[in-house]
Amino acid sequence: MSLLAVPGPAAADGPHGVDDLRPGAHVADQGDANSRLDGRGVQFLPRRDVPEPPDVTALSWMVTDMASGKVLAAKDAHRPLPPASTLKALFAVTVLPRFSQEKVHTVSLRDLAGIEAGSSLAGLKEDLPYRVADLWHGVFLRSGSDAVHTLAGMNGGWDKTIDDMQATARRLGARDTTVESADGFDTPGQFSSAYDLTLFGRAGLTDPDFAYFASTKQAELPEDGGPDAFGIQNTNRLLVGSHGVRPYNGLIGVKNGYTTHAGNTLIAAARRDGRTLLVTVMNPQSGSRNAVYEETRSLLDWGFEAAPRAAAVGMLPVMAPGDSGDEPQRVVHRSQPVTPLHRAAVAAQTDADAHARYQWFLYAAGAVGVIALAGLGTGLWWRRRKPAGSRDGEPD
């Protein structure tokens, strides 16, 4: 009997409840396929013409063909583990479609409150205006908790955003994920799995904005430049090639993460010859500083070789319309010129100063008339005005 997964209607999935849309609902033999992805250890169906998956040290991993949803191989795919900043993929799937990338938001002290010590920061500055696209550059490239907190505030608050993320996870069929912190910071009770993170990566890549940000290597923050701008680079070493890691040919994102409790985690997508693979790796144990990237490289190489002939050990649920998030608004790739916000702010301040000087001139002119009518000499008036005139052009 073939164990190759085929699409099918949603069905109950053992201990995970009715209407759980995990792989068991989409295979010819539900019980056997479910036991594979729910089981412990490496799950792979040997075939004579398919090499075995590489031996990697990660506590959990999964290799998936994105177009078909076939899970080619996995290890402890549903093992609950802390996700670190890979959880920002779920944050982006949830929040990114809700705001136009051109929307402008001035960062406030309240936006930056509550950031945990030791969190990664994009470098946002209080009282400066940023486009939403700038904030997402901060999330994807620098894994900035300041950008996450700011966007969460725009979304209605930290707690509401966590609830929204949890609802998105459930809608996508991610039953192993419990969200306690929107930015993935180590928080008691927060878990996800290689299976769920793969769902988040797949859902995100269907959104053009998400795909754009996930594949961006460098950016200027803010994007329009100005005196407060600075360059940022993606911390995904497999994407940009840094810290001794060679860039992977065909990599298109998605998100990396690290905390002391979670170790290194990575959702990676790569495209070759019309095929897109998703690989999720959680907490390699080798001790190498680049293990998460090199083990992902090995699994991607194996996946591209094995995908044409490998049998599926499970299937991702079929995505329903809207599973990638809310209705997307205008994408970030814009052809129209960008109005430089920060230079505009400086110009606006200059205009305001000129207006203030004009108002002062009118006031002074009126004062001259009053003084003249009072019989004071013009010489006395000029002697009194000269010290004030010496401050012209200095800041107040």
Side-chain angles (χ1 to χ4, degrees), residues 289-341:
R289 67 172 185 166
N290 289 325
V292 74
Y293 300 107
E294 298 306 335
E295 294 189 6
T296 298
R297 182 193 307 277
S298 296
L299 289 168
L300 281 168
D301 285 344
W302 172 82
F304 282 115
E305 181 181 1
R309 301 173 302 279
V313 296
M315 289 288 288
L316 298 186
V318 176
M319 289 185 64
D323 273 355
S324 60
D326 295 340
E327 187 67 25
Q329 301 189 39
R330 182 171 50 177
V331 296
V332 72
H333 342 302
R334 48 180 173 261
S335 58
Q336 67 271 29
V338 176
T339 303
L341 284 177

Short mmCIF file of all heavy atoms in Angstrom, two decimals, residues 289-341:
data_model
loop_
_atom_site.label_atom_id
_atom_site.label_comp_id
_atom_site.label_asym_id
_atom_site.label_seq_id
_atom_site.Cartn_x
_atom_site.Cartn_y
_atom_site.Cartn_z
N ARG A 289 29.05 27.59 15.84
CA ARG A 289 28.30 28.85 15.83
C ARG A 289 27.45 28.99 14.58
O ARG A 289 26.49 29.76 14.57
CB ARG A 289 29.25 30.04 15.95
CG ARG A 289 30.17 30.24 14.75
CD ARG A 289 30.94 31.53 14.85
NE ARG A 289 31.74 31.80 13.66
CZ ARG A 289 32.29 32.99 13.39
NH1 ARG A 289 32.11 34.00 14.21
NH2 ARG A 289 33.00 33.16 12.29
N ASN A 290 27.80 28.30 13.51
CA ASN A 290 27.04 28.37 12.25
C ASN A 290 26.26 27.10 11.95
O ASN A 290 25.83 26.89 10.81
CB ASN A 290 27.99 28.68 11.09
CG ASN A 290 28.51 30.11 11.13
OD1 ASN A 290 27.79 31.03 11.52
ND2 ASN A 290 29.77 30.29 10.75
N ALA A 291 26.06 26.27 12.98
CA ALA A 291 25.44 24.96 12.74
C ALA A 291 24.06 25.08 12.11
O ALA A 291 23.70 24.31 11.22
CB ALA A 291 25.36 24.18 14.05
N VAL A 292 23.24 26.04 12.56
CA VAL A 292 21.88 26.13 12.04
C VAL A 292 21.88 26.43 10.54
O VAL A 292 21.02 25.94 9.79
CB VAL A 292 21.06 27.19 12.82
CG1 VAL A 292 21.47 28.61 12.45
CG2 VAL A 292 19.57 26.99 12.61
N TYR A 293 22.87 27.18 10.08
CA TYR A 293 22.96 27.51 8.66
C TYR A 293 23.52 26.35 7.85
O TYR A 293 23.02 26.03 6.76
CB TYR A 293 23.81 28.76 8.46
CG TYR A 293 23.25 29.96 9.19
CD1 TYR A 293 23.85 30.45 10.35
CD2 TYR A 293 22.11 30.60 8.73
CE1 TYR A 293 23.33 31.54 11.03
CE2 TYR A 293 21.58 31.69 9.40
CZ TYR A 293 22.20 32.16 10.55
OH TYR A 293 21.67 33.24 11.21
N GLU A 294 24.55 25.70 8.36
CA GLU A 294 25.16 24.61 7.61
C GLU A 294 24.27 23.37 7.59
O GLU A 294 24.23 22.64 6.60
CB GLU A 294 26.54 24.29 8.18
CG GLU A 294 27.54 25.44 8.08
CD GLU A 294 27.69 25.98 6.66
OE1 GLU A 294 27.43 25.25 5.69
OE2 GLU A 294 28.07 27.18 6.52
N GLU A 295 23.54 23.12 8.67
CA GLU A 295 22.61 21.99 8.67
C GLU A 295 21.43 22.28 7.75
O GLU A 295 20.93 21.37 7.07
CB GLU A 295 22.17 21.67 10.10
CG GLU A 295 23.32 21.16 10.96
CD GLU A 295 22.89 20.62 12.31
OE1 GLU A 295 21.67 20.52 12.57
OE2 GLU A 295 23.79 20.28 13.11
N THR A 296 21.00 23.53 7.71
CA THR A 296 19.95 23.90 6.75
C THR A 296 20.45 23.73 5.32
O THR A 296 19.71 23.24 4.46
CB THR A 296 19.51 25.36 6.99
OG1 THR A 296 18.96 25.47 8.31
CG2 THR A 296 18.47 25.79 5.97
N ARG A 297 21.68 24.12 5.06
CA ARG A 297 22.26 23.94 3.73
C ARG A 297 22.24 22.46 3.33
O ARG A 297 21.85 22.11 2.22
CB ARG A 297 23.70 24.46 3.72
CG ARG A 297 24.38 24.37 2.35
CD ARG A 297 25.88 24.58 2.45
NE ARG A 297 26.22 25.81 3.15
CZ ARG A 297 26.25 27.01 2.58
NH1 ARG A 297 25.96 27.13 1.29
NH2 ARG A 297 26.58 28.07 3.28
N SER A 298 22.65 21.60 4.23
CA SER A 298 22.68 20.16 3.94
C SER A 298 21.29 19.63 3.63
O SER A 298 21.09 18.83 2.71
CB SER A 298 23.29 19.40 5.12
OG SER A 298 24.64 19.76 5.32
N LEU A 299 20.29 20.08 4.41
CA LEU A 299 18.92 19.59 4.20
C LEU A 299 18.34 20.15 2.90
O LEU A 299 17.60 19.44 2.20
CB LEU A 299 18.05 19.99 5.39
CG LEU A 299 18.35 19.23 6.69
CD1 LEU A 299 17.65 19.88 7.88
CD2 LEU A 299 17.96 17.75 6.58
N LEU A 300 18.66 21.39 2.56
CA LEU A 300 18.20 21.94 1.28
C LEU A 300 18.84 21.18 0.11
O LEU A 300 18.14 20.82 -0.86
CB LEU A 300 18.54 23.43 1.18
CG LEU A 300 17.63 24.39 1.94
CD1 LEU A 300 18.26 25.79 1.99
CD2 LEU A 300 16.24 24.45 1.31
N ASP A 301 20.14 20.94 0.18
CA ASP A 301 20.80 20.19 -0.89
C ASP A 301 20.16 18.82 -1.06
O ASP A 301 19.88 18.38 -2.19
CB ASP A 301 22.29 20.03 -0.57
CG ASP A 301 23.09 21.31 -0.78
OD1 ASP A 301 22.57 22.22 -1.45
OD2 ASP A 301 24.22 21.39 -0.27
N TRP A 302 19.91 18.14 0.06
CA TRP A 302 19.28 16.83 -0.01
C TRP A 302 17.87 16.95 -0.60
O TRP A 302 17.47 16.15 -1.45
CB TRP A 302 19.19 16.20 1.38
CG TRP A 302 18.37 14.95 1.37
CD1 TRP A 302 18.79 13.69 1.02
CD2 TRP A 302 16.98 14.83 1.68
NE1 TRP A 302 17.75 12.81 1.09
CE2 TRP A 302 16.62 13.47 1.50
CE3 TRP A 302 16.00 15.73 2.09
CZ2 TRP A 302 15.32 13.00 1.72
CZ3 TRP A 302 14.71 15.27 2.32
CH2 TRP A 302 14.39 13.92 2.13
N GLY A 303 17.13 17.96 -0.16
CA GLY A 303 15.75 18.11 -0.62
C GLY A 303 15.66 18.32 -2.11
O GLY A 303 14.80 17.72 -2.79
N PHE A 304 16.53 19.15 -2.67
CA PHE A 304 16.48 19.38 -4.13
C PHE A 304 16.85 18.12 -4.90
O PHE A 304 16.31 17.89 -5.99
CB PHE A 304 17.40 20.54 -4.50
CG PHE A 304 16.82 21.89 -4.22
CD1 PHE A 304 17.40 22.73 -3.28
CD2 PHE A 304 15.68 22.32 -4.87
CE1 PHE A 304 16.86 23.99 -3.01
CE2 PHE A 304 15.12 23.57 -4.62
CZ PHE A 304 15.71 24.40 -3.68
N GLU A 305 17.73 17.31 -4.35
CA GLU A 305 18.08 16.06 -5.01
C GLU A 305 16.97 15.03 -4.88
O GLU A 305 16.65 14.30 -5.83
CB GLU A 305 19.38 15.50 -4.43
CG GLU A 305 19.83 14.20 -5.07
CD GLU A 305 21.11 13.65 -4.48
OE1 GLU A 305 21.65 14.28 -3.54
OE2 GLU A 305 21.57 12.57 -4.93
N ALA A 306 16.33 14.97 -3.71
CA ALA A 306 15.38 13.90 -3.43
C ALA A 306 13.96 14.22 -3.87
O ALA A 306 13.17 13.31 -4.14
CB ALA A 306 15.38 13.61 -1.93
N ALA A 307 13.61 15.50 -3.95
CA ALA A 307 12.21 15.89 -4.15
C ALA A 307 11.52 15.24 -5.34
O ALA A 307 10.35 14.85 -5.24
CB ALA A 307 12.10 17.41 -4.24
N PRO A 308 12.17 15.11 -6.51
CA PRO A 308 11.44 14.54 -7.65
C PRO A 308 10.97 13.10 -7.43
O PRO A 308 9.99 12.67 -8.06
CB PRO A 308 12.47 14.62 -8.79
CG PRO A 308 13.41 15.70 -8.38
CD PRO A 308 13.52 15.58 -6.89
N ARG A 309 11.64 12.35 -6.55
CA ARG A 309 11.32 10.93 -6.40
C ARG A 309 10.91 10.52 -4.99
O ARG A 309 10.43 9.40 -4.78
CB ARG A 309 12.54 10.08 -6.82
CG ARG A 309 12.98 10.32 -8.25
CD ARG A 309 14.28 9.60 -8.58
NE ARG A 309 15.36 10.00 -7.69
CZ ARG A 309 16.09 11.10 -7.83
NH1 ARG A 309 15.83 11.94 -8.83
NH2 ARG A 309 17.06 11.39 -6.99
N ALA A 310 11.10 11.39 -4.02
CA ALA A 310 10.84 11.02 -2.63
C ALA A 310 9.35 10.86 -2.37
O ALA A 310 8.52 11.62 -2.90
CB ALA A 310 11.42 12.06 -1.69
N ALA A 311 9.01 9.88 -1.55
CA ALA A 311 7.64 9.71 -1.08
C ALA A 311 7.39 10.63 0.10
O ALA A 311 8.30 10.93 0.88
CB ALA A 311 7.40 8.26 -0.68
N ALA A 312 6.18 11.10 0.22
CA ALA A 312 5.84 12.02 1.31
C ALA A 312 5.60 11.25 2.60
O ALA A 312 4.98 10.19 2.61
CB ALA A 312 4.60 12.82 0.95
N VAL A 313 6.10 11.82 3.69
CA VAL A 313 5.78 11.27 5.01
C VAL A 313 4.61 12.03 5.63
O VAL A 313 4.19 11.73 6.75
CB VAL A 313 7.01 11.33 5.95
CG1 VAL A 313 8.12 10.45 5.41
CG2 VAL A 313 7.49 12.75 6.15
N GLY A 314 4.08 12.99 4.92
CA GLY A 314 2.93 13.77 5.37
C GLY A 314 2.69 14.89 4.39
O GLY A 314 3.46 15.09 3.44
N MET A 315 1.62 15.62 4.60
CA MET A 315 1.26 16.74 3.74
C MET A 315 0.88 17.93 4.60
O MET A 315 0.23 17.79 5.63
CB MET A 315 0.07 16.38 2.85
CG MET A 315 0.38 15.38 1.76
SD MET A 315 1.36 16.07 0.41
CE MET A 315 0.18 17.13 -0.41
N LEU A 316 1.27 19.11 4.15
CA LEU A 316 0.74 20.32 4.77
C LEU A 316 -0.72 20.47 4.38
O LEU A 316 -1.13 20.03 3.30
CB LEU A 316 1.52 21.54 4.31
CG LEU A 316 3.01 21.62 4.65
CD1 LEU A 316 3.56 22.97 4.22
CD2 LEU A 316 3.26 21.37 6.12
N PRO A 317 -1.53 21.09 5.23
CA PRO A 317 -2.93 21.30 4.87
C PRO A 317 -3.05 22.23 3.68
O PRO A 317 -2.22 23.13 3.48
CB PRO A 317 -3.54 21.93 6.13
CG PRO A 317 -2.38 22.54 6.84
CD PRO A 317 -1.21 21.65 6.57
N VAL A 318 -4.09 22.00 2.89
CA VAL A 318 -4.34 22.87 1.75
C VAL A 318 -4.73 24.25 2.28
O VAL A 318 -5.58 24.37 3.16
CB VAL A 318 -5.46 22.30 0.86
CG1 VAL A 318 -5.80 23.27 -0.26
CG2 VAL A 318 -5.05 20.95 0.32
N MET A 319 -4.08 25.28 1.76
CA MET A 319 -4.37 26.64 2.22
C MET A 319 -5.70 27.12 1.65
O MET A 319 -5.93 27.06 0.44
CB MET A 319 -3.26 27.60 1.82
CG MET A 319 -1.97 27.39 2.59
SD MET A 319 -0.73 28.66 2.18
CE MET A 319 -1.54 30.14 2.76
N ALA A 320 -6.55 27.58 2.54
CA ALA A 320 -7.82 28.16 2.12
C ALA A 320 -7.62 29.62 1.76
O ALA A 320 -6.64 30.24 2.18
CB ALA A 320 -8.86 28.03 3.24
N PRO A 321 -8.51 30.22 0.97
CA PRO A 321 -8.40 31.66 0.67
C PRO A 321 -8.36 32.47 1.95
O PRO A 321 -9.16 32.25 2.86
CB PRO A 321 -9.67 31.94 -0.14
CG PRO A 321 -10.03 30.63 -0.75
CD PRO A 321 -9.64 29.59 0.25
N GLY A 322 -7.40 33.38 2.04
CA GLY A 322 -7.27 34.22 3.22
C GLY A 322 -6.35 33.65 4.27
O GLY A 322 -6.09 34.31 5.27
N ASP A 323 -5.82 32.42 4.07
CA ASP A 323 -4.94 31.84 5.07
C ASP A 323 -3.62 32.56 5.18
O ASP A 323 -2.89 32.38 6.16
CB ASP A 323 -4.67 30.36 4.76
CG ASP A 323 -5.73 29.46 5.35
OD1 ASP A 323 -6.59 29.98 6.07
OD2 ASP A 323 -5.68 28.24 5.10
N SER A 324 -3.27 33.37 4.20
CA SER A 324 -2.01 34.12 4.29
C SER A 324 -2.16 35.40 5.10
O SER A 324 -1.21 36.15 5.26
CB SER A 324 -1.51 34.48 2.88
OG SER A 324 -2.46 35.27 2.21
N GLY A 325 -3.35 35.64 5.65
CA GLY A 325 -3.56 36.83 6.46
C GLY A 325 -4.74 37.62 5.95
O GLY A 325 -5.57 37.12 5.19
N ASP A 326 -4.84 38.87 6.38
CA ASP A 326 -5.92 39.73 5.90
C ASP A 326 -5.69 40.10 4.45
O ASP A 326 -4.66 39.82 3.86
CB ASP A 326 -5.97 41.01 6.75
CG ASP A 326 -6.34 40.71 8.20
OD1 ASP A 326 -6.89 39.62 8.44
OD2 ASP A 326 -6.04 41.55 9.06
N GLU A 327 -6.68 40.73 3.85
CA GLU A 327 -6.55 41.16 2.46
C GLU A 327 -5.38 42.11 2.33
O GLU A 327 -5.33 43.16 2.95
CB GLU A 327 -7.83 41.88 2.03
CG GLU A 327 -7.86 42.22 0.55
CD GLU A 327 -7.92 40.99 -0.33
OE1 GLU A 327 -8.41 39.94 0.14
OE2 GLU A 327 -7.47 41.08 -1.48
N PRO A 328 -4.35 41.76 1.51
CA PRO A 328 -3.19 42.61 1.43
C PRO A 328 -3.50 43.97 0.79
O PRO A 328 -4.34 44.07 -0.09
CB PRO A 328 -2.21 41.83 0.55
CG PRO A 328 -2.88 40.59 0.13
CD PRO A 328 -4.27 40.57 0.68
N GLN A 329 -2.82 45.00 1.26
CA GLN A 329 -2.93 46.30 0.65
C GLN A 329 -1.76 46.48 -0.31
O GLN A 329 -1.05 45.52 -0.60
CB GLN A 329 -2.93 47.38 1.74
CG GLN A 329 -4.10 47.19 2.71
CD GLN A 329 -4.25 48.35 3.65
OE1 GLN A 329 -4.09 49.49 3.28
NE2 GLN A 329 -4.59 48.06 4.89
N ARG A 330 -1.52 47.70 -0.77
CA ARG A 330 -0.52 47.92 -1.80
C ARG A 330 0.85 47.39 -1.37
O ARG A 330 1.30 47.62 -0.26
CB ARG A 330 -0.40 49.42 -2.09
CG ARG A 330 0.59 49.75 -3.18
CD ARG A 330 0.51 51.19 -3.57
NE ARG A 330 0.57 52.07 -2.42
CZ ARG A 330 0.58 53.39 -2.53
NH1 ARG A 330 0.48 53.95 -3.71
NH2 ARG A 330 0.64 54.15 -1.46
N VAL A 331 1.53 46.69 -2.27
CA VAL A 331 2.80 46.08 -1.93
C VAL A 331 3.88 47.15 -1.86
O VAL A 331 3.74 48.26 -2.34
CB VAL A 331 3.20 45.00 -2.96
CG1 VAL A 331 2.20 43.87 -2.92
CG2 VAL A 331 3.29 45.59 -4.36
N VAL A 332 5.00 46.76 -1.25
CA VAL A 332 6.04 47.73 -0.96
C VAL A 332 6.82 48.14 -2.21
O VAL A 332 7.41 49.19 -2.25
CB VAL A 332 7.00 47.16 0.10
CG1 VAL A 332 7.85 46.06 -0.48
CG2 VAL A 332 7.89 48.25 0.68
N HIS A 333 6.87 47.26 -3.23
CA HIS A 333 7.68 47.58 -4.40
C HIS A 333 6.97 48.69 -5.16
O HIS A 333 6.02 48.43 -5.88
CB HIS A 333 7.85 46.36 -5.30
CG HIS A 333 7.57 45.07 -4.61
ND1 HIS A 333 8.25 44.67 -3.50
CD2 HIS A 333 6.68 44.09 -4.87
CE1 HIS A 333 7.80 43.50 -3.10
NE2 HIS A 333 6.84 43.13 -3.90
N ARG A 334 7.40 49.89 -5.02
CA ARG A 334 6.70 51.02 -5.58
C ARG A 334 7.54 51.66 -6.68
O ARG A 334 8.75 51.73 -6.58
CB ARG A 334 6.39 52.06 -4.50
CG ARG A 334 7.57 52.38 -3.61
CD ARG A 334 7.20 53.41 -2.56
NE ARG A 334 8.29 53.57 -1.63
CZ ARG A 334 8.34 52.97 -0.46
NH1 ARG A 334 7.36 52.20 -0.08
NH2 ARG A 334 9.36 53.14 0.34
N SER A 335 6.88 52.14 -7.72
CA SER A 335 7.57 52.82 -8.80
C SER A 335 7.54 54.33 -8.63
O SER A 335 8.34 55.04 -9.21
CB SER A 335 6.94 52.46 -10.15
OG SER A 335 5.56 52.79 -10.16
N GLN A 336 6.60 54.81 -7.79
CA GLN A 336 6.49 56.25 -7.62
C GLN A 336 7.63 56.75 -6.73
O GLN A 336 8.13 56.04 -5.89
CB GLN A 336 5.14 56.63 -7.01
CG GLN A 336 4.92 56.17 -5.58
CD GLN A 336 4.30 54.79 -5.54
OE1 GLN A 336 4.50 54.00 -6.44
NE2 GLN A 336 3.56 54.52 -4.48
N PRO A 337 8.06 58.03 -6.91
CA PRO A 337 9.14 58.56 -6.07
C PRO A 337 8.75 58.57 -4.60
O PRO A 337 7.59 58.76 -4.25
CB PRO A 337 9.33 59.99 -6.60
CG PRO A 337 8.69 60.01 -7.95
CD PRO A 337 7.58 58.99 -7.90
N VAL A 338 9.75 58.35 -3.76
CA VAL A 338 9.53 58.37 -2.32
C VAL A 338 9.74 59.79 -1.81
O VAL A 338 10.78 60.39 -2.05
CB VAL A 338 10.52 57.42 -1.61
CG1 VAL A 338 10.36 57.51 -0.11
CG2 VAL A 338 10.30 56.00 -2.09
N THR A 339 8.75 60.35 -1.14
CA THR A 339 8.91 61.66 -0.53
C THR A 339 9.76 61.50 0.72
O THR A 339 9.41 60.74 1.61
CB THR A 339 7.54 62.25 -0.14
OG1 THR A 339 6.73 62.32 -1.30
CG2 THR A 339 7.71 63.63 0.48
N PRO A 340 10.89 62.20 0.79
CA PRO A 340 11.80 62.02 1.94
C PRO A 340 11.20 62.58 3.22
O PRO A 340 11.16 63.79 3.42
CB PRO A 340 13.05 62.78 1.51
CG PRO A 340 12.58 63.78 0.51
CD PRO A 340 11.40 63.17 -0.19
N LEU A 341 10.72 61.69 4.08
CA LEU A 341 10.02 62.12 5.29
C LEU A 341 10.89 62.99 6.18
O LEU A 341 10.48 64.03 6.66
CB LEU A 341 9.58 60.89 6.09
CG LEU A 341 8.37 60.12 5.58
CD1 LEU A 341 8.15 58.93 6.47
CD2 LEU A 341 7.16 61.00 5.57
#
